[in-house]
Amino acid sequence: MRLLHTSDWHLGRSLHRVSMLGAQAAFLDHLVATARDREVDAVLVAGDVYDRAVPPLAAVELFDSALHRLAEAGVPTVMISGNHDSARRLGVAAGLIERAGIHLRTDPAGCAAPVLLHDAHGPVALYGLPYLEPALVKDEFGTEKAAHESVLAAAMRRVREDLAGRPPATRSVVLAHAFVQGGRESDSERDITVGGVAAVPAGVFHGVDYVALGHLHGCQTLTERVRYSGSPLAYSFSEAAHRKSLWLVDLGPGGELAAERVDCPVPRRLARLRGTLDRLLTDPAHTRHEDAFVEAVLTDAVRPADPMARLCERFPHTLSLAFAPERAGQDDTAGYARRLAGRSDQEIAEDFVAHVRGGSAPDAEERAVLRDALDAVRVDGRLREVAG
């Protein structure tokens, strides 16, 4: 059985206020064409279909168009909600849509009810595990701790119990939206840390023929059978070096697996440039970046006049400009956003406490209070999305 694994479309998202809708439409054209041309048996979408709980109308129209075309092509699609999606909104009319071969899995309670597909070698059970916010689903799964590993492990126990009752030749696929240990992050993923811990071990998914992951934006292989497809487009300059792609997975009659990367269209490359303004404007090595989206960090000791206007003369698609003067003895000149890049909310809060207290870092009890407060805010946000 041939599967096309994708995730993290983030329909409606922009890049530094530049709309990505055109690029997202081009990707969806590519997805549908690949499904047809490569004779795909099912498309797997591992969450974060939209960029926010209430997406703009143009993003919903893109989604609607893609589903219609996949249904018309006769390609079954299995899709789960991610941490950016509103599970309730995405799952509206799921029962009706399923008749067209579009299988939306947004309810945690249904994680052990697979989509069953068949090929010449027998059945394939595809289980959709939507993003599991631990504090909201711990009662559903009967776990003592509100932790990602606990709720995912409980969901996978249900999957294995269901699989154990099926014919022995049944192959298995799981879609999940989570941060799995060994994965590499980028700046454009929303922090899902709970209790100071975000990652779960890949062993949670043992015994499954293929695990189609979503959440991290870089395409990566954690094990032969556990993979992230990554986002189809770069949504931050931290993804400038990413090769954006889909996984084309062939699942053999005995669970044998072969995976091929299928490149996504690149609407415009991203480039991260650093140096003095004069160097950036004159260095012939940067000629290849003149049509790229550019993030520029100027290292001039004195801030030059009209730097953005001058950069745009050579790099008309410059989106981000920061200053990091190379002056001895100073290490605090980077912009606020740059200083925070790659740091969790917990780390930022702890650094703030230390800063206002003149360098005294929070103790273990204070760190626990901060952690509980951050978890409460995130869970409240999820509750508001659900209620809305």
Side-chain angles (χ1 to χ4, degrees), residues 128-275:
L129 278 56
Y131 171 67
L132 303 176
E133 177 60 56
L136 300 183
V137 302
K138 65 183 291 290
D139 292 338
E140 165 64 34
F141 291 107
T143 61
E144 293 183 8
K145 295 176 60 179
H148 286 291
E149 183 175 353
S150 299
V151 297
L152 263 177
M156 284 301 301
R157 280 195 293 273
R158 292 189 183 181
V159 167
R160 292 189 190 92
E161 288 170 2
D162 179 84
L163 195 57
R166 297 190 178 277
T170 302
R171 289 156 290 167
S172 56
V173 174
V174 166
L175 289 77
H177 195 88
F179 181 11
V180 179
Q181 288 175 5
R184 299 181 302 279
E185 301 175 81
S186 61
D187 293 344
S188 54
E189 297 130 4
R190 183 183 292 172
D191 185 11
I192 59 171
T193 301
V194 174
V197 178
V200 301
V204 164
F205 301 104
H206 72 85
V208 176
D209 291 312
Y210 184 68
V211 181
L213 292 176
H215 180 58
L216 298 185
H217 287 188
C219 180
Q220 33 200 311
T221 301
L222 304 187
T223 73
E224 180 191 12
R225 298 186 181 277
V226 182
R227 300 170 187 256
Y228 281 101
S229 65
S231 61
L233 297 165
Y235 290 118
S236 75
F237 279 97
S238 66
E239 301 174 41
H242 286 188
R243 174 188 165 194
K244 298 299 185 181
S245 57
L246 310 161
W247 281 116
L248 189 68
V249 176
D250 286 316
L251 195 58
E256 306 91 345
L257 189 134
E260 172 192 346
R261 290 181 71 175
V262 178
D263 289 330
C264 294
V266 180
R268 193 180 301 279
R269 292 181 303 101
L270 271 62
R272 310 183 87 171
L273 307 182
R274 184 184 182 94

Side-chain angles (χ1 to χ4, degrees), residues 56-80:
L57 179 59
V60 177
E61 290 173 340
L62 276 183
F63 176 68
D64 181 64
S65 171
L67 294 192
H68 272 84
R69 286 182 288 165
L70 287 169
E72 289 168 1
V75 181
T77 299
V78 183
M79 180 177 296
I80 62 173

